[in-house]
Amino acid sequence: MNLDGSIPEDNPFEDSYVYSYGHRNPQGLTWAEDGTLYASEHGNSANDEVNHIEAGENYGWPTIEGEQEQEGMITPLFTSGADITWAPSGIDYYDERLYVAALRGTALLEFDLETEEYSEVISDLGRVRDVLIDVENLYVITNNTDGRGNPEGADDILYKVPLENLN
Ligand SMILES: [Ca+2]
């Protein structure tokens, strides 16, 4: 949607705000410096996803999920698979990597877009709801008091971590 409420002229479907579809429970959006759009999404049971979003594409739900494939539908860049739940929430981009807050994964996950591998870079904070990266620092905020976590006295907490301390 344009900021004045009108439909962008280059949207993929005529007279429609719809940009992409077949999403199940998307929780976060972020853009790389070149304008590439990414989204995090909860699967129905495990099969969580990180997708590269392109105009007019169908991201599969409810026909396919996780690593399943079908013509005309997009299989995610990354999926937790059928046995692992991340419950991915907020997402941010930095230096060819995606950083994703994981509620059930209770970690900050780093997805390397070049090697297509991922790892936990911050853990032991409980449920992580969102992540934001500025020039030199990464911020994560926990969500242990949402009724699904095990809050401690000081929860919830916003943490600031220098990027140079991540790896
Ligand atoms: Ca999907």
Side-chain angles (χ1 to χ4, degrees):
M1 182 190 298
N2 293 318
L3 292 178
D4 66 0
S6 60
I7 296 170
E9 286 184 3
D10 60 351
N11 265 14
F13 306 108
E14 194 172 343
D15 294 326
S16 173
Y17 291 118
V18 172
Y19 190 80
S20 63
Y21 61 106
H23 299 288
R24 185 183 171 276
N25 181 359
Q27 299 255 324
L29 292 173
T30 193
W31 284 264
E33 288 143 357
D34 66 0
T36 305
L37 175 59
Y38 300 94
S40 65
E41 182 168 320
H42 289 198
N44 183 40
S45 174
N47 288 309
D48 296 325
E49 299 180 356
V50 174
N51 285 295
H52 169 201
I53 306 299
E54 295 185 282
E57 297 290 0
N58 178 351
Y59 286 81
W61 183 258
T63 306
I64 61 169
E65 62 175 344
E67 61 194 12
Q68 294 175 327
E69 298 180 5
Q70 186 160 315
E71 187 164 350
M73 299 179 189
I74 303 294
T75 295
L77 278 184
F78 298 96
T79 176
S80 65
D83 300 324
I84 296 174
T85 298
W86 299 325
S89 192
I91 180 171
D92 206 352
Y93 171 93
Y94 178 77
D95 191 22
E96 300 297 321
R97 294 176 175 86
L98 294 170
Y99 292 88
V100 179
L103 292 161
R104 287 275 295 281
T106 64
L108 182 70
L109 305 177
E110 179 188 82
F111 296 83
D112 189 316
L113 292 165
E114 292 180 337
T115 65
E116 301 184 348
E117 294 176 342
Y118 78 94
S119 61
E120 292 185 7
V121 289
I122 296 175
S123 57
D124 301 326
L125 303 180
R127 297 165 62 76
V128 183
R129 172 61 68 178
D130 206 357
V131 55
L132 176 75
I133 297 168
D134 71 5
V135 177
E136 296 178 345
N137 299 293
L138 178 149
Y139 297 82
V140 290
I141 194 162
T142 64
N143 203 175
N144 293 311
T145 60
D146 67 354
R148 297 183 177 194
N150 298 300
E152 297 186 10
D155 276 324
D156 279 305
I157 299 173
L158 174 65
Y159 295 88
K160 177 182 178 182
V161 182
L163 282 174
E164 63 189 14
N165 290 9
L166 268 192
N167 294 311

